[in-house]
Amino acid sequence: MTKIVVVDNHGQFTHLERRALRDLGVDTELIDNDTPPEDVDADGVVLSGGPDMNRIGKSTDYLAADVPVLGICLGMQLIAEELGGRVESGEYGGYADVNVDIVDEEDPLTGTLHPETRVWASHADEVTELPDGFELTAKSDVCDVEAMSDTDRDLYGVQWHPEVAHTEEGDEIFENFLAICESR
């Protein structure tokens, strides 16, 4: 059975990320973000959202763990910042319903949602510059980088929260990430 761990960055929806994976029949575990990657045996990693870039523990260490990684909200931002992209305060701010345009229908994470989807997202902070190797896969009127992928390294990020009921096709993001993990 495929195992995907959720690294807890103290987000208010983190338990829902684990539940979404469990509901797909995945062996999943919620782990503290101070857990070193070498102590974890998993086929994939979800870096959860959270309130503060200063409380991410060892989350960035998982980027070199040679397993697929999905960053959600803060998880995506820490991937971008660690790998040379840029994160800045968003103009829009708090949580809202957002229509997202999927710009890469071939992307293994978001492509099945093409041409657009409705999501629940916070834009207090957002990726403003992609790191080298990443492609833009989704954008909106609110945020220029709603999702990004580096398929060569199997690193993926979404600004929105696929685990909440307000996101229309959130389960599909987890299904697609599971498929990525199982294809390795």
Side-chain angles (χ1 to χ4, degrees), residues 74-183:
L74 176 84
M76 179 173 101
Q77 296 160 17
L78 69 87
I79 291 170
E81 192 165 271
E82 178 69 12
L83 298 178
R86 187 173 25 223
V87 176
E88 296 176 358
S89 294
E91 291 181 26
Y92 192 78
Y95 285 100
D97 255 347
V98 179
N99 282 324
V100 171
D101 296 318
I102 306 301
V103 298
D104 182 355
E105 63 186 291
E106 301 297 319
D107 181 64
L109 183 72
T110 61
T112 59
L113 305 180
H114 185 269
E116 67 179 21
T117 190
R118 190 151 184 86
V119 303
W120 185 248
S122 167
H123 292 91
D125 295 304
E126 56 193 33
V127 176
T128 57
E129 184 179 318
L130 294 173
D132 286 343
F134 280 81
E135 297 291 328
L136 175 71
T137 59
K139 64 182 181 173
S140 73
D141 291 341
V142 174
C143 177
D144 291 338
V145 182
E146 289 282 1
M148 63 183 195
S149 293
D150 181 337
T151 56
D152 290 340
R153 292 185 283 181
D154 277 331
L155 302 175
Y156 305 88
V158 293
Q159 179 68 33
W160 68 84
H161 287 273
E163 70 277 14
V164 300
H166 293 56
T167 296
E168 289 181 355
E169 298 168 296
D171 288 346
E172 203 162 330
I173 292 294
F174 290 109
E175 290 166 6
N176 292 345
F177 184 63
L178 174 60
I180 290 166
C181 293
E182 290 177 336
S183 71

